[in-house]
């Protein structure tokens, strides 16, 4: 696998953070495998037609679960002066986006990626988060809410199984 990856963490103000990362993996191929005959070799020429197809897929299709492009962004803002009439100091809101180009699920003959077989990826998904610190009876509680796949997009991250539809998580952390 050859390519490049980059990540930037940007905090222009103490109450705003952004993380941006991405990759461009322009090559993801098998160069040599002693257990499989490479196209053009004597061992390959001796294979039956089905064996040649399997070998062609193995050496010419992209390696499984390695998309050519990936891009992720997440930004979070923390309210330091409070909101809603001075309340809400420490509350946060966040927005995230995840993108992946198409990726091979399997290099098997029945999923043949060279003949239009099933591919995963090629999605853009958005996530939202919010959190709020509060106190009750002297106990400090931090509530976190996450709404994932906001647009309820049907997608797969790298499997024949679909990734989760729109879903949410509410988590409360108690400190004492």
């Amino acid at each position: 696998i050859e390519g490049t990856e980059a990540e930037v963490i940007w905090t222009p103000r103490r109450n705003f953070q952004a993380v941006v990362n991405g990759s461009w993996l322009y090559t993801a191929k098998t160069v040599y495998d002693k257990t499989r005959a490479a196209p053009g070799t004597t061992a390959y020429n001796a294979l039956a037609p089905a064996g040649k197809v399997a070998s062609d897929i193995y050496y010419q299709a992209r390696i499984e679960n390695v998309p050519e492009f990936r891009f992720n962004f997440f930004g979070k803002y923390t309210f330091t002066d409070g909101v809603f009439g001075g309340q809400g100091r420490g509350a946060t809101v966040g927005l995230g986006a995840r993108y992946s180009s198409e990726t091979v699920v399997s290099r098997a003959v029945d999923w043949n990626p060279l003949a239009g077989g099933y591919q995963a990826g090629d999605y853009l998904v958005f996530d939202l988060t919010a959190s709020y610190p509060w106190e009750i009876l002297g106990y400090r509680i931090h509530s976190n809410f996450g709404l994932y796949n906001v647009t309820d997009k049907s997608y797969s991250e790298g499997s024949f199984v679909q990734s989760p539809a729109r879903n949410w998580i509410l988590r409360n952390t108690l400190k004492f």
Side-chain angles (χ1 to χ4, degrees):
I1 297 172
E2 296 175 338
T4 185
E5 295 179 304
E7 180 171 87
V8 174
I9 300 171
W10 183 50
T11 308
R13 302 177 64 180
R14 71 183 182 129
N15 57 336
F16 177 74
Q17 300 89 34
V19 176
V20 180
N21 62 43
S23 64
W24 175 33
L25 304 176
Y26 42 84
T27 302
K29 64 182 181 178
T30 300
V31 177
Y32 174 72
D33 183 341
K34 67 181 179 179
T35 65
R36 301 204 186 232
T41 63
T42 305
Y44 174 85
N45 293 334
L47 291 173
K52 289 180 181 178
V53 169
S55 186
D56 289 343
I57 293 169
Y58 193 76
Y59 279 98
Q60 294 173 16
R62 193 167 180 83
I63 293 176
E64 300 92 339
N65 296 315
V66 182
E68 184 174 2
F69 300 103
R70 283 278 296 164
F71 177 77
N72 299 299
F73 164 81
F74 192 80
K76 181 177 87 169
Y77 183 84
T78 303
F79 294 95
T80 54
D81 296 329
V83 292
F84 312 117
Q87 299 298 315
R89 181 183 172 108
T92 66
V93 292
L95 170 68
R98 298 174 280 141
Y99 167 77
S100 176
S101 64
E102 197 171 68
T103 185
V104 171
V105 173
S106 173
R107 291 186 289 173
V109 173
D110 53 343
W111 293 69
N112 190 345
L114 301 177
Y118 179 74
Q119 307 282 304
D122 198 21
Y123 62 84
L124 177 61
V125 179
F126 298 96
D127 305 320
L128 295 171
T129 62
S131 71
Y132 186 72
W134 51 291
E135 189 172 314
I136 187 169
L137 300 174
Y139 293 100
R140 293 179 295 158
I141 300 171
H142 198 102
S143 297
N144 294 290
F145 176 77
L147 181 61
Y148 304 99
N149 191 4
V150 172
T151 59
D152 203 21
K153 181 168 180 73
S154 179
Y155 72 103
S156 175
E157 292 186 25
S159 170
F160 61 91
V161 176
Q162 292 295 299
S163 295
R166 180 184 306 127
N167 61 88
W168 59 273
I169 295 174
L170 176 61
R171 180 177 53 230
N172 290 300
T173 305
L174 174 66
K175 294 181 181 179
F176 51 93

